[in-house]
Amino acid sequence: MKVYFAIVSILFSINLNIFADDAYIRTYISEMSIEDKASQVLMMSIEGKKTFPPHLSSYFDSYTPGAFILFGYNFSDTPEACASYIKSVKQSIQNLSKAKTFMPPFFASDFEGGRVYRIRKIGSHLPSPKKIAETLTEEEALNLYTHTAEQINLLGIHLNLAPIVEKERSNESGFLDDRIFSNDEDVLIKYTKAFILGMKKGGVLPTVKHFPGNTETDPHLSKSIIDVDKDIFYKEFINPFRKIIYASEDPVLISHAEVSCIDKKPFCFSKIGIEKILRSELNFKGLIITDDMAMKALKMDGRSTADNVLLALAAGCDMVMCSEPKFKELVEVISKKMKTESDFLKKIDDAVFNILKTKIKMGIIDEECKPIEKYKFNKEKFYKAKKSAEDVLKNSKQSK
């Protein structure tokens, strides 16, 4: 009986600490300016690959985006130069900030493997998801993804915008092709779990995407519509995600596809999709990020980028990705809506809460929302992780 009460006491203490941390975060958010909150919900692209471009000082002004997404053009030819660039961006943004307490951005990029792998020039080789599922055991995949994540982490990157948890929707290869593990759901789930666990072990958060799926149409180029009945939608589209993200707190990236049986609008604009299906039915508790607002799938109906950003946030997305240089414009329109609509203000407060919780999990701020300085490039560790990853591929049982 004494043991029982001791366990109950420990669990009660843990729960109190969790609630205390949450209360502190809420207090911190209540003291943030409207504009700082608006900045936090934006994941922006940025120029440069060596140092923070000086002309961007007036572009960002005193506000700090919640995150930066890095594309191929941001990566230099050596890991040292990449790490130096990311450090330069963070320090420059911090110097510009006039916030009471600087809230550091996190850095994100795409490291799926194969043709979507931003560090292919400087990191170890990472085959496509399809190739990995065909040639590596689950254990080998786990080890490979762990050592890949170690390299990513050492550069100062916190979030991997992967893996894709989808099946190909057509017998003819669509834009996903070898970016997915398999059309066999069991194989898909096994290797997705290996990817997620490996990333976390290596110090990088994964992002499950593109919820709830896509068609063979590339949303970068045109409108994408999933036209199936509800039974097929839940069985073929939702079910793989359910097995991965149910009650999870790992980030999820939302598709631009329109699901005709659910809502006649892109999924990232759908309150039914975001609040009812993802939050309620799948009991998802983590950060919800949109795909890029610059994609043509969202530009087909005459809406501006600002219109799309507001629609996504109003639907319940926490963070909006935008590769267009519209940071100030977006901060202004989000702030204006927050000042005039109390329901929208509450949504942004909830979104910032999820963002700050994720930053604590990433280890870039502590439980009191103060910055943590810990990302320093270590050349020896980087090349050790790179060799370990290469050894996994060289010694792979299935590839022999």
Side-chain angles (χ1 to χ4, degrees):
M1 183 63 73
K2 289 182 178 179
V3 173
Y4 170 79
F5 281 115
I7 293 172
V8 170
S9 177
I10 291 170
L11 292 175
F12 181 70
S13 174
I14 291 172
N15 284 332
L16 280 180
N17 287 335
I18 291 172
F19 290 131
D21 291 344
D22 287 357
Y24 193 95
I25 296 171
R26 291 289 183 187
T27 299
Y28 180 91
I29 293 170
S30 71
E31 296 173 353
M32 294 174 70
S33 71
I34 291 287
E35 290 77 14
D36 283 333
K37 293 178 186 179
S39 301
Q40 279 300 301
V41 300
L42 295 172
M43 177 187 287
M44 303 300 300
S45 63
I46 186 170
E47 299 173 35
K49 64 188 297 184
K50 293 182 179 179
T51 59
F52 179 81
H55 69 272
L56 292 183
S57 295
S58 59
Y59 169 69
F60 288 108
D61 199 3
S62 60
Y63 301 120
T64 304
F68 286 107
I69 177 170
L70 303 179
F71 292 102
Y73 56 77
N74 295 123
F75 290 88
S76 298
D77 295 332
T78 67
E80 295 91 338
C82 288
S84 178
Y85 167 70
I86 291 170
K87 183 177 180 180
S88 171
V89 171
K90 181 186 170 184
Q91 288 181 334
S92 297
I93 289 292
Q94 183 169 1
N95 291 338
L96 291 170
S97 175
K98 294 179 182 176
K100 183 178 179 182
T101 303
F102 175 64
M103 178 53 61
F106 65 80
F107 290 82
S109 194
D110 296 271
F111 307 100
E112 298 170 13
R115 57 195 164 104
V116 184
Y117 183 50
R118 305 301 187 201
I119 59 168
R120 65 166 57 86
K121 292 181 179 179
I122 61 173
S124 57
H125 175 57
L126 185 65
S128 70
K130 182 179 180 182
K131 184 72 172 177
I132 283 180
E134 291 174 345
T135 61
L136 270 65
T137 65
E138 290 171 65
E139 183 179 359
E140 289 168 341
L142 170 60
N143 290 335
L144 179 61
Y145 286 130
T146 299
H147 297 310
T148 302
E150 288 168 351
Q151 296 167 69
I152 296 167
N153 171 269
L154 285 165
L155 295 176
I157 298 172
H158 313 95
L159 188 71
N160 184 357
L161 298 170
I164 295 176
V165 188
E166 302 176 45
K167 301 175 185 177
E168 198 72 74
R169 308 279 27 119
S170 170
N171 291 329
E172 299 180 5
S173 294
F175 81 99
L176 293 179
D177 195 16
D178 62 352
R179 294 171 64 193
I180 63 173
F181 287 108
S182 175
N183 278 326
D184 182 316
E185 193 165 303
D186 289 338
V187 174
L188 171 63
I189 298 305
K190 286 177 183 178
Y191 282 88
T192 295
K193 287 182 176 179
F195 187 107
I196 289 172
L197 181 56
M199 284 295 131
K200 289 182 177 179
K201 285 182 69 176
V204 175
L205 272 185
T207 308
V208 174
K209 68 181 185 184
H210 312 79
F211 184 83
N214 282 285
T215 65
E216 62 274 11
T217 303
D218 187 343
H220 292 84
L221 306 176
S222 63
K223 193 170 185 177
S224 179
I225 300 176
I226 299 173
D227 191 15
V228 297
D229 63 36
K230 273 193 175 182
D231 287 342
I232 292 177
F233 174 63
Y234 274 87
K235 182 180 179 181
E236 296 296 324
F237 289 80
I238 295 296
N239 202 47
F241 284 97
R242 185 191 301 276
K243 292 179 179 179
I244 295 298
I245 66 174
Y246 186 84
S248 168
E249 293 186 359
D250 295 329
V252 165
L253 188 144
I254 302 298
S255 166
H256 289 338
E258 176 184 312
V259 183
S260 55
C261 66
I262 299 298
D263 216 345
K264 301 294 184 182
K265 61 184 68 171
F267 211 82
C268 58
F269 299 159
S270 173
K271 290 184 180 180
I272 297 173
I274 302 298
E275 296 180 356
K276 180 178 181 294
I277 297 177
L278 183 54
R279 288 295 191 199
S280 297
E281 294 180 11
L282 271 62
N283 194 27
F284 179 70
K285 303 176 185 299
L287 181 68
I288 299 175
I289 305 170
T290 73
D291 214 334
D292 191 357
M293 291 285 112
M295 290 186 187
K296 289 186 179 178
L298 301 183
K299 303 267 188 172
M300 306 300 287
D301 299 315
R303 294 182 303 269
S304 69
T305 299
D307 293 333
N308 290 333
V309 166
L310 294 178
L311 287 170
L313 292 170
C317 295
D318 298 314
M319 179 170 269
V320 178
M321 182 194 303
C322 184
S323 63
E324 297 175 318
K326 296 179 179 289
F327 179 61
K328 275 189 176 179
E329 175 189 339
L330 296 179
V331 170
E332 288 174 4
V333 297
I334 295 168
S335 299
K336 182 178 180 181
K337 192 174 178 69
M338 290 169 68
K339 292 173 183 176
T340 56
E341 299 181 24
S342 58
D343 288 345
F344 186 74
L345 173 60
K346 184 181 183 307
K347 278 188 179 292
I348 298 301
D349 281 349
D350 290 341
V352 174
F353 177 83
N354 287 333
I355 291 165
L356 298 191
K357 288 277 283 188
T358 302
K359 290 186 176 184
I360 291 172
K361 188 184 296 186
M362 290 171 170
I364 62 174
I365 59 173
D366 62 20
E367 288 78 6
E368 295 183 349
C369 298
K370 295 177 181 177
I372 297 173
E373 295 293 338
K374 79 170 192 176
Y375 288 104
K376 294 182 178 179
F377 181 72
N378 185 308
K379 182 178 179 179
E380 182 180 346
K381 287 184 178 180
F382 183 90
Y383 284 102
K384 181 180 179 182
K386 181 177 180 179
K387 183 180 184 304
S388 295
E390 291 168 345
D391 286 345
V392 172
L393 291 173
K394 184 169 61 177
N395 300 324
S396 169
K397 295 176 182 178
Q398 290 187 26
S399 62
K400 289 180 179 178

